Amino acid sequence: MLIAHLPSGYILSSYLVERARRLPVRPSWLLVAGMFGAIAPDLDMFYFHFVDMGMKHHHRYPSHWPLLWLGLIAGSLLLARFRREAAAGWLALTFSLGGMLHVSLDTLAGDIWWLAPFVDQRFALVTVTARYKPWWLNFVVHWVFLVELSICAWAVWRWRIRRGWMPGAHSKSTESAC
Ligand SMILES: [Zn+2]
């Protein structure tokens, strides 16, 4: 996935914010946590380029293991359950859900090792054949890019709807409509 991770995080956290108005955490923090989680797995690109020198598929790193993100979701659920009044658990949960969304979306056209580290088997719903250079052009001309564009359009729609739903939010607090 090339461009839709950040918008997908916004979509996810914007829906969570609506359902979590009584939680002890600022809506803007939840939005940031979800959006950061949605791009966090790809921070491994720094390791990929500067330490591994591109020798290993970056989806093999723990940051792209779905089981790791499921474990983080479970841990943050426990934290939120037992420390309901603390923001940390809810922020960690939103961040972890964003990370899980990331690896799920990567499964569309990129290989994800869903059972890593226990099973060395990659999974992808669609195979994008390498025909053009640079590599990202293969994804841009493939129909899967329409999915990415749809996610971006959905995020813009959510953003506009949220602004429309809370016309008074700007005068009180701009964070609600971020
Ligand atoms: Zn990724």
Side-chain angles (χ1 to χ4, degrees):
M1 189 146 281
L2 296 176
I3 61 171
H5 283 308
L6 195 63
S8 73
Y10 176 77
I11 294 166
L12 170 74
S13 45
S14 70
Y15 282 111
L16 290 176
V17 162
E18 281 179 17
R19 295 177 180 278
R21 292 191 188 281
R22 283 186 289 176
L23 293 181
V25 56
R26 289 184 173 197
S28 58
W29 291 7
L30 281 179
L31 278 173
V32 170
M35 292 169 74
F36 184 52
I39 59 169
D42 277 348
L43 294 179
D44 61 15
M45 292 298 283
F46 290 105
Y47 190 86
F48 173 75
H49 284 297
F50 299 118
V51 180
D52 253 359
M53 301 301 173
M55 297 299 288
K56 189 175 176 181
H57 195 316
H58 79 108
H59 287 183
R60 280 186 171 275
Y61 298 144
S63 45
H64 273 83
W65 291 352
L67 293 184
L68 175 88
W69 288 103
L70 284 174
L72 289 174
I73 289 171
S76 49
L77 271 174
L78 284 175
L79 185 60
R81 169 74 179 80
F82 290 107
R83 297 202 59 200
R84 258 192 97 75
E85 298 310 312
W90 302 108
L91 291 172
L93 178 60
T94 309
F95 172 80
S96 306
L97 288 171
M100 192 66 211
L101 177 64
H102 179 112
V103 294
S104 301
L105 289 173
D106 270 356
T107 310
L108 174 62
D111 298 320
I112 289 293
W113 278 257
W114 271 83
L115 301 175
F118 305 110
V119 178
D120 185 12
Q121 172 69 52
R122 63 177 77 183
F123 297 92
L125 294 175
V126 176
T127 300
V128 176
T129 308
R131 291 195 179 96
Y132 312 106
K133 286 188 177 178
W135 64 269
W136 49 263
L137 194 55
N138 297 289
F139 289 87
V140 171
V141 298
H142 196 279
W143 65 262
V144 296
F145 198 63
L146 291 176
V147 177
E148 299 212 38
L149 292 176
S150 302
I151 292 172
C152 294
W154 187 1
V156 170
W157 176 76
R158 282 293 298 164
W159 179 71
R160 291 179 62 101
I161 290 261
R162 281 172 48 76
R163 288 174 64 92
W165 277 350
M166 291 177 285
H170 286 285
S171 58
K172 294 174 185 171
S173 166
T174 52
E175 71 194 14
S176 304
C178 292

